C-alpha cells in the first residue's frame, strides 16, 4: 500500500519541481555532513521509486570523464591542510574531502533525477515545460530535435558506411580530417534542407506561427501528498544529519 | 568541457542561470516562427555531429563547433544549445541540472561573440565574391597575399572556430577558479591539455564553413546582425 | 576458366529480434558476369550486399572474396577496394563539395598521390561523359547526374565487381538510357538489384529471386 503510492503516475510538473528544488538544496549546503545526509535521502528516493539502480550506476560511471579525473587529482593538487604520505606522495586531506563531497553532491542530484524523472518520456517532459510557462517556441525546438535526432543519426551512419565502402580509414592526416569536415558539413546541409521541407509541410497543413499543445496534465491530491512528504522527509534528513558528529572521522591520523 | 553539479559555488550558479535565461530569451525574441524547424534541425545535427571522433595521433577528440553554430544561427545559438544541453541531461542523465545555465553560457556566449566579430568579415567576403563574378580579377601580388585571397572563407572560419573554443576554455577555467582555490591547478591543467584543440577546432570550422558557403550561401547572405539593417546583402549584388 | 570473385557458403543471418533473413544461402559471382537480383521489399537484397562488403557479419557460414576467406573487419578493407558499391540513394554517397573531390576521395583512400587521383578522376569523368563537371557542386546536380557521379566515384577505384542497388530508381528517360549504355560497355562483373525487368533483361545473364532466405534462379 505504502510502496504502491510511488508507482502511481504523478504530474510531470510536480516531479520537475521536486527535482529542481532538491538540486538547489544540494548545491547550497556547504557542510560535509549535510551532503552525506542528502545523498542518503537521494538513495532512499531511488529505492522507493524503483529506479533501475544497475543502469543508473553505469550512467554514473559515464559522468564526464574529465571531471572524474579532475576530482581524482584534487587530493594531490589542493595543497592545504594536513597531509598524509602514501607511497611517497602527499595526499592532502582537505582536497580529499572536497572531492568526496563534490562526488556526493553530483551523485545525489543524479540519483534524485533518475528516481523522479527517469521514467518520464522526452515528449512528456517537453510538454510539461510548456505548461510551466517555458516559451512554446523553445519547447517546439526541443520537440523537433527529439523527433529528428535519430533520423539525422541514421543519415550520418549511412554516409559513414558509404565512406567505409570507398576504403576510408581514420588516420591523423589532412585527407582524413578534411573528409570528416565535409561529412559534418553535409550533415548540416541535409539538416537545413530537411528543416525547410518540414516548414513547407507544416505550412501545407495550415501552420500560421503558433503551435497547439495537445497534452494536458492533471495536478491531483497525490501530487500534494508527494510534495508534502518529500519536503518533510528532506527536512528530517537535514536535521538528523546535522546532529551527527562526523568530526572525528574527518580528522584521521595526520602527519600535518 | 562540462562542469558538473556540486563543483561551482552557489552564487556562481545563480548568476550564470540569470545570464543564461536572459540570453535564451534574447535569442527567442529574434526568432521568426518560420525559422524554428531550421534551428531545431541544425541543433539536432550539431548534437549528432558531437559523437564524431577526430583521430589525433594515438587519441581522438570531439568537436564543439560552437563558432560555426554561432555564424549559422546568430542569437538563436542560445536556445539551440540550451535545448541540446537539456536533452543531453534528460536522455543521458548527465550534463548537470544546476549547472545547465553555466554550461550554456560557457558554450554559447563565445559562439555568439564569434558571430558578432566574424560575421561582418564573412559578409564582406560575400560582397567581394559577388564583385569577382563581374570582374574576374586575377589577383596579383605576393604569394602569401594570394593564398589569403583564395582562402579567406577558410580563414574566417578558422578564426571564428578557434576564438569560440578558446573563449569557452577560458570561461570554464574561470568558473572553476571562481569556485575556490582548490580548483586553480585543475583549471590550469585543463587549459593546457586542450590547447591543441583550439587549432583543430579552427581547422574544422574553416573547412566546414567553406563547405557551407559554397553549397548554401543563402545561409549567410542577408543577415542583419542583431536585426539592425547593417550590411548590404550579397544576394542583391549577385542578381 | 572464370575466376570466382565472391563465394558465399551456407550463409545464415538474422537481425536481432527478427526472423532469420538468410538460412544457409549460397551465392557466387564470377569474373565478367552480370547477375540480377529481385525480391520483395524487406527480402534482404540490400543486406546481401552489406554481407558481401563486410558491413554486416553472418551468424554462420563462410564468405570467400577474391580467393580469401573473410571474417574480420581487416579482411574486408581489402574487399572494399576491389568491389564497388553504388548506394540506392546517391545523396548518402556523395558528401564532398565538388564533383572532383568526391570522385578522387576513393583513389586518395587507396593511397594514390594527389596528382594521380586527379588524373584518374578526369579520365573516369570523361569515360562517363561527364567532362567539365569537375568543379561543379555535387549537391546542386540533378538526380540523374548525381547517380552518374556516384558511379564515377565508385569506378575511380577500379573495382573488379560492381554492386548496384536499384540504380535506375528516380532517373528520367535520358539518364536511364545513359546509365544502361554505360553499364553495357563496362567490362567488369556486376550484381544488380532492381525491380525493373526490362533493365535487368538488357544487362544480365541470369537473375535470382530472393525469397524466404533463399536464392531461386529465374
Amino acid at each position: 500500500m505504502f510502496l504502491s503510492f510511488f508507482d502511481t503516475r504523478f504530474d510531470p510538473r510536480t516531479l520537475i519541481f521536486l527535482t529542481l528544488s532538491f538540486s538547489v538544496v544540494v548545491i547550497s549546503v556547504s557542510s560535509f555532513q549535510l551532503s552525506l545526509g542528502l545523498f542518503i535521502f537521494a538513495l532512499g528516493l531511488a529505492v522507493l521509486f524503483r529506479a533501475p539502480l544497475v543502469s543508473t550506476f553505469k550512467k554514473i560511471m559515464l559522468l564526464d570523464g574529465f571531471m572524474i579525473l579532475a576530482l581524482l587529482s584534487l587530493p594531490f593538487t589542493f595543497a592545504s591542510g594536513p597531509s598524509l604520505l602514501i607511497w611517497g606522495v602527499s595526499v592532502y586531506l582537505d582536497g580529499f574531502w572536497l572531492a568526496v563531497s563534490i562526488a556526493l553532491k553530483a551523485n545525489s542530484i543524479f540519483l534524485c533525477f533518475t528516481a523522479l524523472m527517469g521514467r518520464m518520456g522526452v515528449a512528456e517532459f517537453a510538454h510539461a515545460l510548456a505548461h510551466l510557462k517555458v516559451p512554446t517556441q523553445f519547447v517546439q525546438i526541443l520537440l523537433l530535435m527529439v523527433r529528428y535526432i535519430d533520423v539525422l543519426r541514421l543519415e550520418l551512419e549511412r554516409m559513414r558506411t558509404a565512406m567505409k565502402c570507398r576504403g576510408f580509414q581514420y588516420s591523423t592526416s589532412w585527407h582524413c580530417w578534411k573528409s570528416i569536415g565535409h561529412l559534418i558539413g553535409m550533415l548540416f546541409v541535409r539538416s537545413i534542407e530537411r528543416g525547410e521541407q518540414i516548414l513547407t509541410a507544416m505550412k501545407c497543413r495550415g501552420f500560421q506561427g503558433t503551435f497547439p499543445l495537445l497534452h494536458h496534465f492533471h495536478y491531483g491530491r497525490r501530487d500534494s501528498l508527494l510534495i508534502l512528504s518529500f519536503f518533510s522527509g528532506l527536512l528530517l534528513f537535514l536535521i538528523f544529519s546535522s546532529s551527527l558528529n562526523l568530526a572525528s572521522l574527518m580528522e584521521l591520523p595526520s602527519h600535518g | 568541457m562540462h562542469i558538473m553539479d556540486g563543483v561551482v559555488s552557489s552564487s556562481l550558479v545563480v548568476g550564470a542561470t540569470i545570464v543564461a535565461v536572459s540570453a535564451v530569451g534574447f535569442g527567442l525574441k529574434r526568432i521568426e516562427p518560420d525559422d524554428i524547424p531550421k534551428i531545431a534541425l541544425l541543433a539536432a545535427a550539431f548534437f549528432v555531429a558531437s559523437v564524431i571522433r577526430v583521430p589525433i595521433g594515438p587519441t581522438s577528440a570531439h568537436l564543439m563547433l560552437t563558432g560555426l553554430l554561432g555564424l549559422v544561427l546568430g542569437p538563436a545559438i542560445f536556445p539551440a544549445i540550451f535545448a541540446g544541453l537539456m536533452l543531453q541531461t534528460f536522455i543521458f542523465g548527465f550534463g548537470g541540472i544546476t549547472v545547465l545555465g553555466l554550461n550554456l553560457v560557457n558554450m554559447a556566449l563565445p559562439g555568439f561573440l564569434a558571430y558578432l566579430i566574424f560575421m561582418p568579415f564573412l559578409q564582406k567576403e560575400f560582397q567581394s565574391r559577388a564583385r569577382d563574378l563581374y570582374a574576374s580579377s586575377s589577383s596579383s601580388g605576393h604569394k602569401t597575399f594570394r593564398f589569403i585571397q583564395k582562402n579567406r572563407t577558410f580563414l574566417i572560419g578558422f578564426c571564428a572556430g578557434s576564438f569560440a573554443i578558446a573563449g569557452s576554455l577560458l570561461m570554464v577555467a574561470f568558473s572553476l577558479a571562481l569556485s575556490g582555490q582548490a580548483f586553480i591547478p585543475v583549471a590550469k591543467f585543463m587549459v593546457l591539455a586542450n590547447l591543441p584543440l583550439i587549432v583543430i577546432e579552427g581547422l574544422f570550422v574553416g573547412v566546414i564553413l567553406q563547405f557551407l558557403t559554397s553549397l548554401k550561401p543563402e545561409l549567410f547572405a542577408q543577415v542583419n546582425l542583431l536585426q539592425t539593417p547593417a550590411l548590404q546583402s550579397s544576394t542583391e549584388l549577385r542578381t | 576458366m572464370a575466376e570466382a570473385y565472391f563465394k558465399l557458403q551456407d550463409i545464415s543471418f538474422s537481425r536481432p529480434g527478427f526472423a532469420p533473413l538468410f538460412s544457409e544461402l549460397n551465392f557466387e559471382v564470377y569474373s565478367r558476369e552480370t547477375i540480377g537480383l529481385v525480391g520483395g521489399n524487406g527480402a534482404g537484397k540490400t543486406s546481401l550486399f552489406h554481407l558481401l562488403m563486410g558491413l554486416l557479419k553472418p551468424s554462420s557460414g563462410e564468405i570467400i572474396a577474391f580467393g580469401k576467406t573473410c571474417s574480420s573487419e581487416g579482411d574486408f578493407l581489402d574487399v572494399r577496394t576491389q568491389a564497388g558499391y553504388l548506394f540506392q540513394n546517391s545523396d548518402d554517397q556523395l558528401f564532398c563539395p565538388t564533383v572532383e573531390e568526391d570522385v578522387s576521395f576513393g583513389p586518395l583512400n587507396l593511397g594514390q598521390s594527389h596528382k594521380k587521383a586527379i588524373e584518374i578522376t578526369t579520365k573516369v569523368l570523361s569515360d562517363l561523359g561527364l567532362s567539365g563537371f569537375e568543379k561543379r557542386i555535387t549537391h546542386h546536380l540533378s538526380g540523374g547526374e548525381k547517380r552518374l557521379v556516384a558511379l564515377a566515384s565508385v569506378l575511380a577505384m577500379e573495382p573488379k565487381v560492381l554492386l548496384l542497388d536499384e540504380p535506375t530508381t528516380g532517373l528520367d528517360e535520358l539518364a536511364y538510357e545513359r546509365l544502361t549504355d554505360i553499364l553495357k560497355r563496362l567490362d567488369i562483373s556486376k550484381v544488380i538489384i532492381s525491380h525493373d525487368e526490362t533493365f535487368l533483361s538488357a544487362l544480365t545473364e541470369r537473375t535470382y529471386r530472393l525469397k524466404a532466405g533463399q536464392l531461386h534462379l529465374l
Side-chain angles (χ1 to χ4, degrees):
Chain A
M1 169 59 202
F2 170 69
L3 279 178
S4 66
F5 172 70
F6 295 99
D7 283 339
T8 49
R9 290 184 60 76
F10 297 99
D11 188 325
R13 289 171 294 182
T14 309
L15 300 175
I16 293 174
F17 168 68
L18 290 180
T19 310
L20 278 181
S21 318
F22 180 76
S23 309
V24 169
V25 171
V26 168
I27 61 154
S28 42
V29 303
S30 47
S31 93
F32 181 78
Q33 287 160 259
L34 292 180
S35 301
L36 189 65
L38 289 171
F39 178 72
I40 296 168
F41 179 78
L43 210 59
L45 278 182
V47 172
L48 282 179
F49 279 87
R50 299 189 202 176
L53 281 179
V54 176
S55 65
T56 306
F57 180 75
K58 277 186 193 153
K59 274 189 180 173
I60 288 181
M61 288 291 101
L62 274 174
L63 270 164
D64 203 331
F66 185 80
M67 288 316 284
I68 289 177
L69 278 182
L71 284 186
L72 286 179
S73 74
L74 272 181
F76 307 102
T77 54
F78 183 32
S80 137
S83 65
L84 288 173
L85 209 64
I86 300 176
W87 294 316
V89 184
S90 325
V91 178
Y92 296 94
L93 282 184
D94 282 7
F96 174 75
W97 288 114
L98 184 63
V100 172
S101 95
I102 290 171
L104 278 180
K105 285 180 176 189
N107 288 327
S108 308
I109 292 176
F110 181 68
L111 278 173
C112 171
F113 166 80
T114 320
L116 296 179
M117 291 170 66
R119 268 176 288 179
M120 196 186 295
V122 186
E124 203 182 354
F125 169 67
H127 278 110
L129 287 184
H131 287 286
L132 287 169
K133 302 283 176 257
V134 172
T136 46
Q137 285 171 311
F138 180 74
V139 174
Q140 200 57 36
I141 290 177
L142 209 57
L143 283 172
L144 278 172
M145 269 182 88
V146 172
R147 166 70 181 77
Y148 285 99
I149 278 179
D150 238 25
V151 174
L152 290 178
R153 202 177 49 78
L154 288 175
E155 278 192 15
L156 179 71
E157 268 328 297
R158 281 201 301 276
M159 289 196 282
R160 283 168 107 175
T161 307
M163 286 167 82
K164 219 156 109 181
C165 284
R166 288 204 271 159
F168 181 69
Q169 275 171 286
Y170 286 89
S171 63
T172 310
S173 66
W174 181 237
H175 169 67
C176 169
W177 285 9
K178 201 172 147 192
S179 302
I180 294 177
H182 290 160
L183 176 71
I184 296 173
M186 197 45 118
L187 184 74
F188 281 171
V189 167
R190 287 173 142 215
S191 70
I192 293 159
E193 289 185 347
R194 199 176 276 272
E196 287 161 359
Q197 282 166 15
I198 292 168
L199 178 67
T200 321
M202 282 182 0
K203 280 188 168 162
C204 291
R205 293 198 286 164
F207 172 71
Q208 281 172 344
T210 53
F211 298 94
L213 279 176
L214 277 182
H215 288 252
H216 293 281
F217 303 112
H218 299 286
Y219 181 88
R221 195 182 289 164
R222 58 187 191 288
D223 291 299
S224 309
L225 199 58
L226 180 69
I227 293 178
L228 200 69
S229 44
F230 187 92
F231 283 113
S232 13
L234 193 59
L235 206 64
L236 272 177
F237 259 83
L238 286 176
I239 294 169
F240 178 68
S241 50
S242 63
S243 65
L244 276 177
N245 186 10
L246 290 176
S248 54
L249 182 70
M250 306 275 286
E251 282 159 20
L252 282 167
S254 63
H255 301 263
Chain B
M1 279 193 297
H2 289 141
I3 290 179
M4 63 190 208
D5 283 319
V7 174
V8 292
S9 59
S10 22
S11 51
L12 186 58
V13 165
V14 173
T17 306
I18 292 170
V19 174
V21 168
S22 0
V24 171
F26 161 79
L28 285 175
K29 276 224 179 76
R30 274 152 191 83
I31 292 176
E32 297 286 325
D34 280 9
D35 289 336
I36 285 178
K38 191 184 85 181
I39 294 164
L41 269 281
L42 268 167
F46 175 76
F47 193 87
V48 168
S50 67
V51 305
I52 294 176
R53 292 183 153 275
V54 175
I56 306 164
T59 62
S60 62
H62 290 291
L63 297 169
M64 300 239 300
L65 304 178
T66 39
L68 181 76
L69 210 64
L71 287 177
V72 179
L73 288 178
I77 189 177
F78 293 111
I81 293 189
F82 194 47
L85 285 175
M86 221 176 219
L87 281 184
Q88 205 175 42
T89 309
F90 192 85
I91 297 173
F92 302 113
F94 59 86
I97 293 174
T98 58
V99 282
L100 213 54
L102 181 63
N103 282 332
L104 171 73
V105 175
N106 287 346
M107 272 179 90
L109 191 61
F112 180 61
L113 290 178
Y115 163 79
L116 288 182
I117 298 169
F118 297 103
M119 199 56 178
F121 288 99
L122 195 60
Q123 301 270 300
K124 246 186 230 154
E125 166 63 12
F126 268 89
Q127 286 171 10
S128 73
R129 266 196 209 181
R131 267 198 308 277
D132 287 351
L133 281 184
Y134 292 115
S136 50
S137 56
S138 51
S139 50
S140 54
H142 192 263
K143 215 168 139 193
T144 353
F145 180 71
R146 279 210 304 273
F147 176 81
I148 292 173
Q149 282 264 307
K150 243 181 86 187
N151 295 292
R152 263 186 307 210
T153 313
F154 174 83
L155 288 172
I156 293 169
F158 182 89
C159 295
S162 300
F163 172 86
I165 194 163
S168 288
L169 260 176
L170 286 178
M171 284 176 71
V172 172
F174 196 60
S175 322
L176 285 176
L178 270 184
S179 307
Q181 281 280 309
F183 297 103
I184 290 177
V186 175
K188 278 185 189 157
F189 173 76
M190 190 204 70
V191 172
L192 282 179
N194 285 301
L195 278 181
L197 263 189
I198 296 179
V199 179
I200 289 164
E201 275 276 322
L203 290 176
F204 272 89
V205 174
V207 168
I208 301 171
L209 187 68
Q210 231 175 4
F211 186 96
L212 290 179
T213 49
S214 62
L215 265 70
K216 289 235 144 239
E218 65 270 25
L219 261 187
F220 305 95
Q222 268 183 321
V223 168
N224 299 323
L225 295 177
L226 301 174
Q227 281 205 331
T228 45
L231 288 146
Q232 211 177 351
S233 79
S234 56
T235 33
E236 270 170 51
L237 277 165
R238 224 178 299 144
T239 44
Chain C
M1 178 67 196
E3 186 190 340
Y5 285 156
F6 278 112
K7 258 189 186 171
L8 299 192
Q9 284 171 350
D10 302 324
I11 291 290
S12 297
F13 172 77
S14 57
R15 282 175 204 287
F18 286 90
L21 202 52
F22 308 125
S23 44
E24 309 207 334
L25 175 133
N26 290 291
F27 181 56
E28 276 153 21
V29 184
Y30 289 93
S31 55
R32 296 186 165 191
E33 69 172 347
T34 301
I35 300 170
L37 213 55
V38 297
N41 292 104
K45 300 173 303 251
T46 303
S47 299
L48 186 63
F49 276 9
H50 282 214
L51 281 171
L52 291 173
M53 295 299 275
L55 301 168
L56 292 173
K57 300 279 183 281
S59 41
S60 68
E62 213 169 42
I63 299 175
I64 303 165
F66 307 102
K68 228 175 75 184
T69 308
C70 295
S71 54
S72 69
E73 179 72 13
D75 298 335
F76 280 104
L77 286 181
D78 222 26
V79 176
R80 288 176 198 150
T81 63
Q82 297 186 62
Y85 180 8
L86 187 74
F87 276 57
Q88 195 168 351
N89 182 355
S90 302
D91 277 323
D92 288 336
Q93 204 157 4
L94 303 171
F95 73 103
C96 294
T98 63
V99 170
E100 185 176 66
E101 279 167 294
D102 241 319
V103 178
S104 60
F105 175 70
L108 286 173
N109 286 336
L110 296 184
Q112 305 276 20
S113 69
H114 190 75
K115 197 170 149 245
K116 187 83 205 301
I118 296 293
E119 265 175 42
I120 296 172
T121 304
T122 317
K123 186 177 174 302
V124 171
L125 285 178
S126 80
D127 282 352
L128 297 189
L130 293 171
S131 292
F133 270 64
E134 284 86 347
K135 301 286 178 216
R136 294 274 293 272
I137 290 172
T138 323
H139 194 69
H140 296 165
L141 298 177
S142 72
E145 287 165 339
K146 275 186 193 166
R147 189 66 49 83
L148 288 180
V149 171
L151 182 63
S153 73
V154 168
L155 290 176
M157 301 180 73
E158 291 163 1
K160 292 178 177 162
V161 189
L162 270 183
L163 306 178
L164 308 161
D165 195 346
E166 306 267 11
T168 58
T169 39
L171 296 189
D172 64 17
E173 237 169 279
L174 208 72
Y176 180 96
E177 268 161 32
R178 224 167 132 188
L179 183 73
T180 318
D181 198 50
I182 288 167
L183 290 179
K184 259 188 193 157
R185 279 190 287 126
L186 272 178
D187 191 22
I188 54 178
S189 298
K190 285 160 240 135
V191 185
I192 307 175
I193 293 175
S194 183
H195 290 297
D196 183 343
E197 280 171 31
T198 30
F199 181 70
L200 283 182
S201 61
L203 285 162
T204 61
E205 287 130 32
R206 53 201 164 97
T207 299
Y208 291 100
R209 174 176 293 281
L210 188 58
K211 202 178 172 188
Q214 288 292 335
L215 284 169
H216 307 275
L217 187 63
L218 292 184

